[in-house]
């Protein structure tokens, strides 16, 4: 059986980022930049006042109080004609361009203004309350890097950079196909030996939240021709995710139908719990010889499918979107309950995550970890990772955790 880390690496290495598209700013929020974006102008483009007051020459207010002659007024969006001479002042408002010759702004509350004379009672050094040109950024600076998921703050910055359109990765099309005679859709009346399908809805909801476009291929019965027909809907998609049928039993048809050529299958068993029957390779969908589509076969058990999505579908989506690889040391937390020694499979335990009185995080695994219990998954905030052959762990010891994030 393949270790979890190696399986993840193989999946990521086999995929490539999807193509880019240009979107207007109003539609680019939460999308991923396909290339770095540079400023098309300097901000601010000229020196401006940071406060309401008077634009002056610092030399004229070196000794206080100082009496200056008012020679004009300038607001944001306007400009003062001419150059400020010695002994002169211009009434200025926040955001207005600093008049030529001026180098300082004094606050309006520190001045007494008459009809034409301004008495400055308190001032400051040269440059006080002035925002110089380029204070924020300069034209040509690459401020938004490729692979960045655009926040509202990024959109505001892009607008200030005078960028009306942004190059972003298109949304990957993720086809999702549930398999099994035992499944019916939510809202339908199950037969005597049937259950309600849940996996595909959770997977599609999360994939959409992550930035993909899910394509619902429905439920394929345990029939070779029906499975092939349903899978044909994945043609043109960037990834086909199947649910169930990934093992080697007589009714597990995904491998036999969609990856019949041994060269198309990379692996199909992972040394982990929950989720050992995980498959990855290339599916051949549609009329022979079939269109190749990357295939990620998730287990049929509800919790196994969702946990495997968190561990393997997420890095696949990150790769397709051109996001930076987040592989690295996991976060840690204090263990909230004793755990027995682990066996040869890497274990991921559903757990609550709380903050103790001392501010440290505490992860407490649920006592029952059956892979059919979605309720406990919904009540969890993280997974506690247990390495293969990990010794027994006592309450209070440090453990690695995988936090649920981004709508999982």
């Amino acid at each position: 059986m393949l270790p979890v880390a190696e399986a993840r690496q193989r999946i990521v290495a086999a995929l490539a980022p999807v193509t880019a598209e240009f979107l207007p700013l109003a539609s680019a929020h939460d999308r991923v930049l396909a290339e770095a974006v540079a400023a098309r102008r300097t901000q601010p483009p000229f020196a401006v006042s940071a406060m309401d007051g008077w634009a002056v020459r610092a030399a004229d207010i070196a000794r206080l109080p100082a009496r200056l002659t008012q020679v004009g007024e300038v607001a944001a969006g306007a400009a003062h004609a001419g150059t400020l001479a010695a002994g002169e002042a211009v009434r200025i408002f926040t955001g207005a361009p600093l008049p030529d010759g001026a180098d300082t702004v004094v606050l309006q509350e520190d001045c007494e203004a008459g009809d034409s004379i301004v008495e400055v009672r308190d001032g400051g050094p040269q440059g006080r309350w002035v925002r110089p040109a380029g204070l924020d950024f300069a034209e040509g600076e690459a401020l938004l890097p490729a692979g960045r998921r655009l926040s509202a703050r990024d959109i505001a910055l892009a607008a200030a950079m005078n960028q009306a359109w942004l190059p972003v990765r298109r949304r990957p099309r993720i086809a999702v196909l549930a398999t099994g005679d035992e499944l019916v859709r939510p809202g339908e009346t199950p037969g005597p030996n049937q259950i309600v399908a849940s996996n595909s809805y959770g997977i599609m909801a999360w994939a959409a939240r992550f930035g993909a476009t899910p394509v619902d291929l429905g439920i394929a019965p345990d029939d070779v021709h029906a499975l092939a027909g349903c899978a044909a809907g994945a043609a043109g998609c960037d990834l086909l995710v199947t649910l169930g049928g990934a093992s080697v039993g007589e009714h597990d048809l995904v491998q036999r139908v969609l990856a019949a050529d041994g060269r198309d299958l990379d692996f199909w068993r992972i040394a982990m719990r929950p989720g050992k029957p995980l498959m990855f390779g290339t599916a051949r969908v549609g009329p022979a010889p079939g269109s190749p589509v990357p295939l990620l076969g998730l287990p049929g058990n509800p919790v196994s499918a969702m946990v495997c999505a968190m561990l393997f579908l997420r890095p696949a989506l990150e790769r397709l979107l051109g996001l930076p690889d987040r592989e690295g040391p996991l976060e840690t937390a204090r263990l909230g309950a004793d755990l027995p020694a682990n066996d040869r499979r890497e274990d991921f335990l559903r757990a609550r995550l709380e903050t103790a009185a001392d501010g440290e995080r505490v992860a407490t695994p649920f006592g029952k970890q059956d892979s059919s219990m979605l309720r406990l998954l919904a009540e969890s905030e993280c997974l506690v990772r247990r390495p293969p052959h990990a010794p027994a762990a006592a309450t209070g010891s440090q453990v690695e955790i995988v936090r649920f994030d981004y709508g999982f």
Side-chain angles (χ1 to χ4, degrees):
M1 292 187 291
L2 201 65
V4 170
E6 185 176 345
R8 180 192 181 280
Q9 290 168 0
R10 288 195 193 182
I11 292 171
V12 172
L15 300 173
V18 297
T19 55
E21 62 183 355
F22 278 85
L23 290 182
L25 279 179
S27 303
H29 178 245
D30 212 33
R31 300 295 291 271
V32 178
L33 277 178
E35 58 188 64
V37 176
R40 298 181 60 210
R41 64 176 285 138
T42 295
Q43 178 64 21
F46 36 71
V48 299
S49 176
M51 302 290 284
D52 292 345
W54 297 86
V56 301
R57 299 179 347 140
D60 289 339
I61 59 170
R63 298 180 62 182
L64 297 173
R67 291 172 60 85
L68 306 176
T69 302
Q70 179 182 351
V71 295
E73 178 178 299
V74 60
H80 174 70
T83 300
L84 199 68
E88 295 180 340
V90 170
R91 180 76 166 108
I92 196 167
F93 296 91
T94 303
L98 201 68
D100 290 341
D103 56 21
T104 303
V105 173
V106 290
L107 302 181
Q108 59 186 11
E109 53 264 38
D110 293 333
C111 302
E112 183 70 35
D115 291 338
S116 60
I117 301 297
V118 180
E119 183 177 288
V120 180
R121 298 191 298 263
D122 193 9
Q126 181 177 332
R128 173 68 62 88
W129 305 121
V130 174
R131 294 174 181 150
L135 173 66
D136 199 357
F137 51 81
E139 182 179 352
E141 280 192 83
L143 304 178
L144 294 172
R148 186 182 187 96
R149 191 185 288 274
L150 293 166
S151 66
R153 291 167 290 138
D154 296 328
I155 296 297
L157 175 58
M161 292 159 62
N162 201 25
Q163 294 285 357
W165 294 75
L166 295 176
V168 299
R169 297 289 175 189
R170 64 170 175 80
R171 295 187 184 276
R173 288 170 51 83
I174 308 300
V176 180
L177 175 62
T179 67
D181 290 336
E182 74 278 14
L183 300 177
V184 298
R185 287 183 177 273
E188 296 180 356
T189 302
N193 303 304
Q194 292 184 304
I195 59 174
V196 177
S198 58
N199 299 348
S200 54
Y201 295 93
I203 298 297
M204 288 190 293
W206 179 64
R209 179 72 178 89
F210 203 88
T213 297
V215 179
D216 185 4
L217 300 184
I219 301 172
D222 292 325
D223 175 83
V224 169
H225 299 292
L227 176 58
C230 291
C237 289
D238 301 293
L239 181 66
L240 168 60
V241 177
T242 60
L243 298 159
S247 192
V248 292
E250 294 181 3
H251 296 283
D252 296 314
L253 304 179
V254 171
Q255 183 178 155
R256 191 178 351 149
V257 174
L258 300 182
D261 188 336
R263 294 173 300 175
D264 291 337
L265 188 63
D266 189 341
F267 60 80
W268 65 272
R269 288 195 304 171
I270 304 297
M272 65 174 286
R273 182 177 43 246
K276 181 176 74 171
L278 182 91
M279 178 189 304
F280 181 71
T282 302
R284 303 286 170 172
V285 299
S291 302
V293 178
L295 166 67
L296 179 62
L298 302 182
N301 280 331
V303 173
S304 299
M306 294 297 288
V307 169
C308 285
M310 185 73 181
L311 298 178
F312 302 107
L313 179 55
R314 179 173 72 175
L317 291 174
E318 289 172 340
R319 177 62 172 161
L320 291 171
L321 286 166
L323 288 165
D325 191 348
R326 295 196 298 173
E327 186 178 18
L330 296 178
E331 298 181 55
T332 60
R334 198 163 64 202
L335 188 59
D338 294 343
L339 290 177
N342 194 23
D343 61 16
R344 62 176 181 158
R345 288 197 285 171
E346 194 168 342
D347 211 352
F348 293 88
L349 306 173
R350 285 156 283 170
R352 295 187 186 278
L353 189 61
E354 301 169 309
T355 302
D358 61 3
E360 190 170 353
R361 292 179 301 186
V362 178
T364 306
F366 289 96
K368 292 183 179 181
Q369 293 287 329
D370 189 282
S371 60
S372 68
M373 299 176 68
L374 272 175
R375 174 180 175 177
L376 296 186
L377 182 66
E379 293 177 359
S380 301
E381 287 87 28
C382 71
L383 300 171
V384 170
R385 175 187 176 268
R386 299 276 285 153
H389 305 294
T395 300
S397 58
Q398 292 291 310
V399 290
E400 292 182 318
I401 62 170
V402 180
R403 283 200 298 171
F404 297 153
D405 61 0
Y406 215 79
F408 184 77

